[in-house]
Amino acid sequence: MSRALIIGCGGVAQVAIHKCCQLDSVFTDLCIASRTKSKCDKIKEELQNKTKTNITTKQIDANDFNALVKLFNEYKPEIVMNLGMPYQNLIIMDACLECNCHYLDTAAYEPEDVDDPTWRMNYEKRVKEKGFSAYFDYSYQWEYKDKFEKKGLIALLGCGFDPGVTQAYVAYAKKHEFDRIDTIDILDCNGGDHGYPFATNFNPEINLREVSSEGAYYEDGKWHSIPAMSIHSKYNFDGVGEKDIYLLHHEEIESIAKNYPEIKRIRFYMTFGESYIRHMKCLENVGMLSTTPIEYEGKKIVPIQFLKALLPDPASLGPRTVGKTNIGCIFKGIKDGKEKTYYIYNVCDHQESYKEVGSQAISYTTGVPAMCGAMLILKKIWTTPGANTLEIYDPDPFIEALDKYGLPKRESYNPIMVK
Ligand code: NDP
């Protein structure tokens, strides 16, 4: 018997809801709470006769601390899965502490208003001290470590695929394959085609903020920043074929570098097609990716939020997306005194995901790990309290759960390395 509450009802949340309902022996009671309640009601309607999970729906504005506390006190979830926006991570963590619930999310905190003077001051300081300029970083959420520890609660940070599974892959490689890891390349390939000239596969605001920012990688104890998209190469992906890959900054680099200080270099690459980059550059050049509000006919409009309203909803891409994703980590290091390379990854098919849960593979590869992480907390298999990323937990039960619930690992002991 466990009670879980999911915040958000977008692409990722809808997959997690399907998967929780498939595992109704663990997720016996599920509350879906989001800004637009009709979306929660629609999925409840679709699932309630196919599962024993008792589904409740609620309207919530996750920016409202008092409303969150009221909801959590009334529903009494053991875990709150924040599958909405990363802007509300801290407020939802506060509400979880207030109401004694575990917490889980899939993306590191970043503020909605990046012009807020207090946040900006801290941000400028961090850019100088650490050397990467992304809006997100884990410091805000790691500050909650003691508070969660003292209450014996877990805040599982970044439990999607990347971040999430990629960190579990690092822990798995260290546990089973290496005495010492020297380098990691995290490769995120989306070989899917949705047929639109331009669309993002997850929340457009977060996606475009991430991709249009400076890139960064970690080497010899330091961050190295590069202009956006300025390092690129090609890689031939199992199940997909050859794709252009671009070096980006990504949040798990920060936590892997912290938890495995012996690793000399960590890089993250993502695939992009020529059309995506051309559209993104053009939108950036005309100011449509700006997060700073402008006055338009007496109204304040945030350009990137207006753009989001024009773009296809990622949750609607499922029926039209064909092809596969391939996401994983390539390692170089030492085992028993000898140099070794190892690649662990998952290949996920957009149409198979759609047939199973009505969503494309980007939402699927995020929603399934979120369900698996929540399950391990609810079953008390992962018990270390605190605000933690995935590297610190035993990777084996998580990788086993992924194998079982839709994201099986593939391995190669002779991978082609990224040039
Ligand atoms: P969507 O935009 O599809 O869904 C976001 C949901 O959150 C919507 O249902 C939205 O409501 C709801 N929401 C937004 N603001 C509020 C609020 N103030 N109060 C309550 N609900 C709110 O996003 P995705 O599902 O694509 O992404 C969800 C999260 O997953 C993001 O943080 C994203 O960065 C992360 N992600 C992580 C990945 C990983 O591998 N780790 C990969 C992909 C995504 P409404 O329906 O009204 O708009």
Side-chain angles (χ1 to χ4, degrees):
M1 278 276 293
S2 12
R3 298 172 80 76
L5 187 148
I6 290 183
I7 293 184
C9 196
V12 172
Q14 289 182 29
V15 173
I17 294 162
H18 269 92
K19 297 305 278 194
C20 291
C21 289
Q22 285 176 11
L23 202 65
D24 49 18
S25 57
V26 174
F27 295 88
T28 51
D29 295 270
L30 183 68
C31 177
I32 312 165
S34 192
R35 183 167 58 187
T36 311
K37 185 169 174 285
S38 55
K39 290 190 189 171
C40 313
D41 292 335
K42 186 165 174 278
I43 193 162
K44 175 183 170 175
E45 180 83 21
E46 193 187 317
L47 289 174
Q48 65 185 354
N49 296 326
K50 299 182 191 153
T51 177
K52 290 200 181 83
T53 302
N54 181 23
I55 307 170
T56 313
T57 61
K58 293 280 178 200
Q59 199 280 329
I60 190 76
D61 175 4
N63 287 308
D64 183 342
F65 175 76
N66 291 331
L68 288 169
V69 168
K70 186 166 176 282
L71 173 64
F72 298 174
N73 277 335
E74 274 168 17
Y75 191 74
K76 301 200 185 324
E78 281 158 68
I79 187 164
V80 172
M81 299 163 71
N82 170 17
L83 307 180
M85 299 293 281
Y87 307 149
Q88 285 92 28
N89 287 7
L90 306 182
I91 199 164
I92 299 173
M93 290 173 85
D94 283 325
C96 284
L97 283 169
E98 179 75 22
C99 304
N100 293 310
C101 320
H102 299 297
Y103 168 89
L104 175 152
D105 65 34
T106 57
Y109 169 72
E110 63 184 85
E112 184 161 14
D113 177 8
V114 291
D115 297 318
D116 173 77
T118 318
W119 178 82
R120 197 86 212 170
M121 214 168 64
N122 285 334
Y123 168 77
E124 306 287 357
K125 191 163 159 262
R126 187 261 285 162
V127 174
K128 269 201 198 118
E129 277 172 14
K130 289 205 175 165
F132 64 87
S133 65
Y135 289 146
F136 52 80
D137 78 79
Y138 274 120
S139 63
Y140 293 88
Q141 291 185 267
W142 280 334
E143 267 182 33
Y144 282 70
K145 192 167 173 58
D146 286 355
K147 293 184 204 164
F148 273 83
E149 254 167 25
K150 275 190 194 125
K151 291 209 154 203
L153 294 170
I154 297 176
L156 188 60
L157 310 179
C159 192
F161 207 106
D162 46 336
V165 177
T166 48
Q167 289 134 298
Y169 281 168
V170 177
Y172 186 85
K174 180 71 199 209
K175 183 172 174 184
H176 298 288
E177 303 292 343
F178 290 96
D179 299 323
R180 189 187 80 210
I181 298 174
D182 290 331
T183 68
I184 306 176
D185 282 328
I186 303 165
L187 302 189
D188 177 332
C189 163
N190 180 8
D193 180 5
H194 44 57
Y196 287 117
F198 186 72
T200 64
N201 295 288
F202 68 95
N203 185 281
E205 215 178 311
I206 303 300
N207 178 262
L208 289 165
R209 274 186 182 205
E210 175 178 290
V211 173
S212 59
S213 302
E214 276 188 337
Y217 61 98
Y218 188 81
E219 189 163 27
D220 296 329
K222 290 201 300 277
W223 288 91
H224 301 263
S225 282
I226 57 153
M229 306 285 190
S230 60
I231 295 185
H232 75 276
S233 184
K234 286 188 186 295
Y235 197 83
N236 199 348
F237 289 92
D238 182 17
V240 176
E242 188 171 85
K243 288 275 166 193
D244 289 316
I245 56 171
Y246 294 82
L247 188 144
L248 296 188
H249 175 51
H250 223 243
E251 58 239 69
E252 64 264 53
I253 303 179
E254 193 188 359
S255 74
I256 296 167
K258 181 182 167 211
N259 287 308
Y260 296 92
E262 85 268 18
I263 299 176
K264 293 193 185 79
R265 191 186 68 205
I266 311 163
R267 302 184 296 193
F268 181 98
Y269 287 90
M270 198 176 264
T271 58
F272 295 102
E274 201 258 323
S275 172
Y276 180 98
I277 292 177
R278 199 163 14 93
H279 280 79
M280 190 191 75
K281 278 276 157 223
C282 176
L283 291 164
E284 188 177 26
N285 289 342
V286 297
M288 282 303 286
L289 303 191
S290 169
T291 52
T292 304
I294 55 149
E295 282 284 315
Y296 180 72
E297 296 189 343
K299 266 194 173 167
K300 275 205 164 23
I301 292 180
V302 178
I304 197 167
Q305 288 179 356
F306 180 69
L307 174 65
K308 175 179 185 259
L310 296 175
L311 290 174
D313 179 355
S316 71
L317 298 177
R320 47 187 299 147
T321 308
V322 292
K324 292 181 170 64
T325 62
N326 176 326
I327 318 174
C329 303
I330 303 180
F331 301 89
K332 197 165 118 195
I334 301 290
K335 179 75 176 171
D336 301 328
K338 287 196 192 116
E339 267 212 353
K340 168 176 181 180
T341 57
Y342 172 65
Y343 188 10
I344 177 167
Y345 60 98
N346 164 263
V347 175
C348 185
D349 186 284
H350 285 285
Q351 277 303 302
E352 278 175 22
S353 305
Y354 181 68
K355 271 185 226 135
E356 186 195 327
V357 298
S359 298
Q360 36 84 0
I362 303 296
S363 303
Y364 191 89
T365 53
T366 313
V368 172
M371 181 283 281
C372 292
M375 177 195 73
L376 294 179
I377 294 172
L378 291 171
K379 289 175 89 175
K380 300 190 173 37
I381 294 172
W382 280 356
T383 54
T384 308
N388 301 315
T389 44
L390 271 78
E391 303 90 340
I392 77 132
Y393 294 99
D394 180 3
D396 291 356
F398 187 65
I399 305 282
E400 266 167 39
L402 295 169
D403 282 346
K404 188 166 169 192
Y405 297 113
L407 298 174
K409 66 178 177 307
R410 295 189 188 181
E411 293 164 289
S412 160
Y413 289 85
N414 189 20
I416 297 166
M417 303 304 279
V418 176
K419 287 198 192 94

